Amino acid sequence: MHLEVYRRRPDVNAVVHAHPPTATAFSIAGMTLARCILPEVVVTLGGIPTTEYATPGTAEVPESISQAIQEHDAVILAHHGTLTVGQTLWGAISSWKKWNMQRRSH
Ligand SMILES: [Zn+2]
C-alpha cells in the first residue's frame, strides 16, 4: 500500500497508516466523509473518500487506494483504518492529527 502511494504520488515523501477507532466506525456504519460533514475538515483536508474493502495483507489493498490517493491526501480504508500522506512525515502525521482532533472537538 505504501509503495503504491509512492508510485502514484511523486510529490509524497511520507505515508501514515493507522487504525483510529472513529474513522473505522464511520466506514463500518456506512458513513462517508467524502461529502462536507464538518466544514473544518473540508477546509484543511478536503473530502475524505472511503475506499472499497480490501483484505489486509493482500494485493487488493494497494489496488483499493490507487485511484483515491491520486486525488486526496487522506482516505478511509473501508472496515480497516486510515491512510494520510504528505511531502514530509510531519505533514502526513499532521493531516491525520488535524482530522482526529477535529473529530473529538464535535
Ligand atoms: Zn492496517
Side-chain angles (χ1 to χ4, degrees):
M1 175 175 69
H2 292 232
L3 293 175
E4 182 68 8
V5 172
Y6 294 125
R7 278 192 282 269
R8 299 293 178 198
R9 293 282 303 271
D11 59 313
V12 165
N13 297 308
V15 176
V16 173
H17 169 53
H19 304 116
T22 305
T24 305
F26 268 99
S27 76
I28 290 170
M31 297 176 68
T32 178
L33 296 181
R35 294 186 310 270
C36 179
I37 293 178
L38 298 172
E40 296 89 345
V41 174
V42 172
V43 168
T44 57
L45 289 175
I48 303 171
T50 301
T51 62
E52 293 292 320
Y53 175 77
T55 303
T58 70
E60 296 172 349
V61 177
E63 292 172 13
S64 74
I65 60 102
S66 186
Q67 183 64 39
I69 206 63
Q70 293 179 63
E71 301 163 0
H72 302 276
D73 290 341
V75 300
I76 295 176
L77 308 173
H79 299 239
H80 183 168
T82 60
L83 182 68
T84 56
V85 302
Q87 291 184 332
T88 65
L89 179 57
W90 182 245
I93 292 170
S94 180
S95 292
W96 183 83
K97 285 178 69 176
K98 276 189 240 172
W99 181 60
N100 280 282
M101 288 171 70
Q102 289 169 351
R103 299 255 22 93
R104 290 187 186 116
S105 68
H106 292 273

